[in-house]
Amino acid sequence: MAIVLYDLMGADDRYFSPFCWRARWALAHKGQNIDRHPVRFTEIKDIHDGVYETVPVIDDGEITVGGSFDIALYLEDAYPDAPTLFAGGPGLARFAEHWVQTAVHPRLVRLIVSDIHDHLTPEDQPYFASSREKRFGVPVDQVQASRDDELPDFRKALTPLRKTVEEFPFLGGDAPAFADYLIAGAFQWARVISPYQLFEADDPVAAWFGRVLDLYDGMGRQAKGYELAA
Ligand SMILES: N[C@@H](CCC(=O)N[C@@H](CS)C(=O)NCC(=O)O)C(=O)O
């Protein structure tokens, strides 16, 4: 039986949530088919009577798990015969999670936040505009207006990733691991909803992201999004 994934839906068949992408790649890694239940931001409260404030959430038969990292831990436990998501244990993946959320997401969201808004369904746009205006202190289009000035700092922040993927095909070594999905989710978020080019053409980060997009019969690349110039 396929595992149900509550996946954040934008307009126009765009599935852009970085956290849901982590779960999608983790599920594919474990050989699991998904039964996607698309949800808008404003519908998350309807999942299982409002127990969850964010997606991803999965239902595996009777078992429900929310949160991308907990989903990966659950899959590792429930499907031990499939390739591991955490070679050497989950500590390094947790480090990757903290790194991407402190060094990458806060910089990246400022480059694409108005594009996110513009790719949401009309039902979600007022919620997103007002919740993000509260977060940033200014309307979303103003946040994104300075992105050309902020791009060099974003690229520089990727140095630890860049140096690692110059040396190894994946953070997991020769094979991908959950740490790859944790970080690639951020760039897929951008690719799905923004034509803005994050990487220089010869950036090893772009090459590594391309390798992740190609996994599982090009699952990430086939998702509706914008082309990477790199
Ligand atoms: N710690 C959670 C965070 C998930 C998260 O923040 N998801 C976003 C979608 S990208 C969400 O559901 N946001 C709800 C909202 O902003 O109202 C995880 O790792 O899954």
Side-chain angles (χ1 to χ4, degrees), residues 29-210:
H29 185 111
K30 287 292 186 182
Q32 296 300 311
N33 294 320
I34 66 160
D35 173 8
R36 173 189 269 151
H37 288 212
V39 283
R40 299 184 176 90
F41 277 114
T42 46
E43 294 170 336
I44 295 174
K45 61 180 182 341
D46 302 327
I47 302 169
H48 294 300
D49 298 324
V51 178
Y52 296 99
E53 290 182 355
T54 61
V55 284
V57 173
I58 62 165
D59 295 333
D60 188 6
E62 296 297 302
I63 297 169
T64 295
V65 187
S68 56
F69 208 97
D70 282 352
I71 289 171
L73 291 172
Y74 165 76
L75 294 173
E76 185 73 357
D77 208 36
Y79 301 98
D81 296 339
T84 180
L85 287 160
F86 301 110
L92 287 176
R94 192 60 103 180
F95 175 81
E97 181 189 44
H98 290 308
W99 178 74
V100 77
Q101 280 172 207
T102 54
V104 182
H105 279 212
R107 289 179 171 89
L108 178 52
V109 71
R110 298 181 56 81
L111 311 181
I112 60 170
V113 67
S114 188
D115 294 334
I116 299 174
H117 173 270
D118 294 348
H119 287 80
L120 295 176
T121 60
E123 290 88 337
D124 269 359
Q125 284 179 333
Y127 160 74
F128 188 83
S130 75
S131 61
R132 271 44 179 187
E133 182 169 340
K134 247 180 242 152
R135 188 179 297 173
F136 293 107
V138 289
V140 290
D141 54 329
Q142 283 183 35
V143 179
Q144 195 178 293
S146 52
R147 64 182 173 184
D148 288 347
D149 296 333
E150 296 184 22
L151 186 61
D153 173 63
F154 166 77
R155 288 178 173 169
K156 190 162 175 237
L158 303 181
T159 304
L161 174 63
R162 186 170 296 117
K163 288 196 170 300
T164 309
V165 298
E166 262 172 355
E167 194 175 343
F168 303 102
F170 295 102
L171 299 177
D174 288 334
F178 191 55
D180 291 276
Y181 310 143
L182 279 166
I183 299 172
F187 305 137
Q188 180 73 328
W189 179 29
R191 194 191 75 87
V192 169
I193 51 78
S194 179
Y196 196 60
Q197 295 296 322
L198 298 181
F199 307 119
E200 286 178 306
D202 60 350
D203 190 339
V205 173
W208 161 82
F209 180 47

